[in-house]
Amino acid sequence: MGRFARLAFTPAVKALQEQNGSRAAYARMERAGDAPDVLSPDEAEFLSQRDSFYMASMVANGWPYIQHRGGPPGFVRVLDPHTIGFADYRGNKQYISTGNVSENDRVALIFVDYPNRARLKVLAHASVITRETDPATMERLEVPGYGAKVERGFVLRVEGFDWNCPQHITPRFTEAEVDVAMRPMVSELHTLRSENRSLREELGRLKRSTV
């Protein structure tokens, strides 16, 4: 969190931390924050499992803009310990994030694992690539078998990141996660139904044999 704290903790933020009793703890985190934060295997594993995230960019008129990005699990790629990227799939053709990044490359991202109540915040410099400008990286970003049309790629040079506490994250589950969790129960239900059917048939035979 060292670099993240240096970038996010402005004088106004620090004043509020001091006022609310958290400044001393956060001050210690800032001391090693001169170099960009390095993504460890823990961050890489976390990112490799995500199927969506939110990215904020800055409109030239000063308004922040937040956009949801989604794809198959693993569509966010860790290219090296300082760089992540993702394929940009065709959407509603507004191109707000792409336009914003062309004028101001600073972005903020938040990745959430709802079932495990974990979230990772990332500050980065973004650049946009295409098959013409960087075919090798585009090939790394594409997800084989995913049917959406790739228009471009985003490459994000990470400056800082921070793991948030799990407070106030409501657990939510995707259809695939629910399916995995329900499989043992569904299997047991099928077994019980089969056993029940066999018992009914046996009971019917016994009734007929006593007539």
Side-chain angles (χ1 to χ4, degrees):
M1 184 186 180
R3 180 66 167 169
F4 183 95
R6 287 287 186 95
L7 297 174
F9 295 168
T10 63
V13 172
K14 292 178 182 179
L16 286 171
Q17 291 173 352
E18 186 70 38
Q19 180 180 333
N20 290 279
S22 61
R23 181 66 203 138
Y26 284 126
R28 290 193 293 271
M29 297 178 184
E30 292 180 63
R31 292 180 186 136
D34 288 330
D37 290 339
V38 178
L39 298 169
S40 76
D42 290 337
E43 285 79 42
E45 176 67 16
F46 182 82
L47 293 171
S48 73
Q49 297 174 5
R50 307 280 62 80
D51 60 4
S52 66
F53 64 90
Y54 296 91
M55 183 173 76
S57 57
M58 290 300 299
V59 183
N61 59 22
W63 284 98
Y65 176 74
I66 300 176
Q67 187 172 45
H68 171 269
R69 297 284 177 162
F75 83 104
V76 178
R77 304 296 172 86
V78 177
L79 302 175
D80 63 51
H82 294 281
T83 314
I84 62 178
F86 62 92
D88 186 25
Y89 302 111
R90 174 169 291 176
N92 57 15
K93 297 186 178 182
Q94 290 186 347
Y95 304 115
I96 299 175
S97 296
T98 307
N100 290 345
V101 166
S102 71
E103 296 183 304
N104 184 339
D105 70 352
R106 291 178 176 86
V107 295
L109 307 94
I110 185 164
F111 301 85
V112 185
D113 178 354
Y114 288 99
N116 295 303
R117 301 176 68 216
R119 56 189 166 185
L120 179 65
K121 298 183 297 187
V122 177
L123 299 177
H125 293 280
S127 60
V128 176
I129 63 171
T130 66
R131 290 185 180 90
E132 290 71 33
T133 60
D134 192 344
T137 302
M138 284 298 300
E139 185 175 355
R140 295 181 65 184
L141 298 181
E142 294 201 33
V143 179
Y146 190 55
K149 181 176 178 57
V150 177
E151 291 195 327
R152 65 192 59 78
F154 275 78
V155 176
L156 310 173
R157 190 177 78 251
V158 176
E159 285 290 332
F161 62 83
D162 178 35
W163 288 95
N164 269 157
C165 69
Q167 288 189 80
H168 314 303
I169 300 177
T170 302
R172 293 185 174 89
F173 302 87
T174 65
E175 183 178 353
E177 290 165 342
V178 171
D179 181 64
V180 170
M182 292 293 292
R183 283 176 190 172
M185 297 177 63
V186 172
S187 177
E188 184 178 2
L189 178 60
H190 288 325
T191 300
L192 290 173
R193 283 179 173 174
S194 178
E195 292 175 350
N196 186 52
R197 184 166 52 250
S198 297
L199 290 171
R200 286 178 180 275
E201 291 172 354
E202 180 64 22
L203 179 60
R205 285 194 294 269
L206 290 173
K207 286 182 177 179
R208 289 192 295 271
S209 67
T210 58
V211 175

